[in-house]
Amino acid sequence: MSHVFCTDLSREAGDPLPGSGAHAERNLLISWPRARWQRNLRHASDMPPDLAAQLDALAASGRRVNLIHRRDQPAEVHEVILMPERRRLQLERSALLAFVEALAAGEDLERWPSTPQHHDLVLCCTHGKKDKCCARYGYRSYKALARAVEEHRLPFDVWESSHLGGCRFAASIILLSPVRKYGRIEPDQALPMLQAEAQGQRFLPGYRGASHLTPAQQCAEVAALQWLARDSALPCVELALVEDSALAPEEMPGHLGGSSSSSSDNDGDNEPQYRRQIWRWRQSGEGEGEGEGEAKAKGERASGELVVHCHTLTLARIDMCSDIDQGPSPSQVWRAASVQSIDAGYRQYS
């Protein structure tokens, strides 16, 4: 048995987290004992075949389906959560098929009583049958997340989850809703991550980017947030994308237009790409730093615009532990090259 893990290889390759935050906004979560999960993220060994087929059809229509688990959940009574609708139901196994069929058909679901899902969900992938990294790294981070919520009374509902994507980034974690995706969260990062989220901030060491953005935009979003985080007077900001345009290599600032091909040879499918984005930022209404008293008294908030330049490079990487024997394959990733305040000079990003 191999003792090499794709998570460790991903770190060694310099595989970036930003730009990997894609995830469906519409989710159906069904509690099911983890011991019964199969490799498919929606299937369990004791799941009726017609239910499995209906879940596959629902997923094909655009709503992501995941199995979730925690020890306090009865095996034959299933917690069902709809996001972003924030509705929660408890259903006997015999009622699941009819419910999923009605959901897929867009029918009224009133005949199944539900309660509001008040807290954001925190899902941590522990799907060891999909990838051994999610068992090795995911479960210990899940325990740390659950413990942090309980001990510090944080406003989150924590579950183990089947495959969330990005096994090489284990522990892979998603918050719903809206979707915020994290990777490489260690147990000692669970509390600071949750505390940041509870304050409406992103935990930048593990943040992968907002799911509704393109990979290039996610990369720039994280770079902009990191740039702003260097100013202690701006602990919490709101970002909005104003402009996003493609560039030719010679339009990149300085010498950066030639930097994206250095990691490996580029073929026709992996030609370097370059983008320039403008992001408008504004200090959040919560958490203003000291020294803003006069502006705060006037109801004003600090604001500005940033220009972020990004480019692609090609990495040789392994996406899952099951790919290790086949070796790495080339993948295109996004990197931030520079961040510029509109009224200041360029600061090369690193």
Side-chain angles (χ1 to χ4, degrees):
M1 178 179 178
S2 173
H3 294 287
V4 179
F5 296 88
C6 65
T7 295
D8 301 330
L9 296 176
S10 174
R11 288 180 187 271
E12 293 169 7
D15 192 5
L17 289 171
S20 65
H23 197 84
E25 186 66 34
R26 296 166 59 239
N27 289 264
L28 169 65
L29 309 171
I30 303 175
S31 70
W32 210 288
R34 174 167 42 83
R36 300 292 185 177
W37 295 356
Q38 296 187 314
R39 195 168 193 275
N40 184 299
L41 77 162
R42 296 177 293 274
H43 295 176
S45 60
D46 57 344
M47 181 180 287
D50 51 353
L51 175 59
Q54 187 62 52
L55 292 176
D56 289 342
L58 182 64
S61 74
R63 186 180 286 268
R64 187 177 179 99
V65 180
N66 274 85
L67 303 181
I68 56 176
H69 168 79
R70 60 188 180 198
R71 290 183 177 179
D72 61 359
Q73 184 63 33
E76 293 295 329
V77 178
H78 300 273
E79 202 80 17
V80 177
I81 306 173
L82 289 170
M83 292 299 241
E85 296 88 347
R86 290 185 173 270
R87 304 306 301 175
R88 187 168 184 154
L89 309 86
Q90 284 194 339
L91 298 177
E92 299 285 343
R93 185 166 299 183
S94 59
L96 283 173
L97 179 59
F99 174 81
V100 174
E101 288 175 338
L103 177 64
E107 296 177 7
D108 190 342
L109 304 178
E110 290 299 321
R111 67 179 184 270
W112 291 280
S114 65
T115 58
Q117 173 66 41
H118 294 294
H119 293 326
D120 280 4
L121 297 174
V122 179
L123 307 181
C124 183
C125 181
T126 60
H127 197 171
K129 290 180 181 175
K130 180 72 174 180
D131 193 282
K132 61 185 181 180
C133 279
C134 298
R136 178 182 175 88
Y137 296 106
Y139 186 64
R140 65 189 191 186
S141 292
Y142 161 75
K143 290 192 295 183
L145 290 162
R147 184 169 56 251
V149 167
E150 181 179 3
E151 292 179 355
H152 297 269
R153 299 184 179 181
L154 295 170
F156 300 105
D157 191 8
V158 183
W159 292 82
E160 297 183 54
S161 175
S162 61
H163 179 63
L164 296 173
C167 300
R168 67 190 186 278
F169 296 137
S172 180
I173 294 166
I174 288 182
L175 283 84
L176 303 171
S177 234
V179 175
R180 289 93 76 199
K181 204 164 189 177
Y182 287 91
R184 298 185 184 133
I185 297 298
E186 297 290 339
D188 62 357
Q189 294 176 311
L191 178 58
M193 188 201 82
L194 292 172
Q195 289 173 327
E197 281 287 342
Q199 297 169 11
Q201 302 178 44
R202 306 290 82 87
F203 179 67
L204 297 181
Y207 184 48
R208 295 166 65 178
S211 65
H212 68 281
L213 300 174
T214 67
Q217 292 166 358
Q218 292 170 8
C219 174
E221 175 204 16
V222 176
L225 288 171
Q226 290 175 333
W227 194 93
L228 290 164
R230 300 177 185 184
D231 187 341
S232 61
L234 298 171
C236 188
V237 297
E238 302 164 358
L239 275 182
L241 180 63
V242 176
E243 180 183 315
D244 183 4
S245 56
L247 297 181
E250 60 271 16
E251 296 178 290
M252 290 286 284
H255 65 284
L256 299 173
S259 65
S260 63
S261 60
S262 60
S263 65
S264 65
D265 294 333
N266 290 289
D267 56 32
D269 295 327
N270 289 309
E271 284 298 318
Q273 301 178 56
Y274 307 91
R275 300 203 72 84
R276 176 183 183 269
Q277 298 172 30
I278 298 178
W279 290 80
R280 181 171 295 131
W281 65 268
R282 184 175 68 162
Q283 189 171 19
S284 174
E286 299 180 358
E288 285 95 346
E290 295 180 2
E292 301 291 333
E294 183 177 349
K296 185 175 180 182
K298 297 178 180 179
E300 299 173 0
R301 288 186 276 173
S303 62
E305 290 187 345
L306 298 176
V307 179
V308 184
H309 290 86
C310 297
H311 65 88
T312 59
L313 57 82
T314 301
L315 287 180
R317 77 179 187 205
I318 290 173
D319 288 343
M320 299 184 65
C321 288
S322 58
D323 300 329
I324 289 175
D325 289 343
Q326 286 72 42
S329 58
S331 299
Q332 199 171 66
V333 299
W334 283 92
R335 287 273 173 84
S338 68
V339 180
Q340 174 202 24
S341 178
I342 292 294
D343 56 357
Y346 282 102
R347 178 188 295 172
Q348 184 142 340
Y349 183 82
S350 60

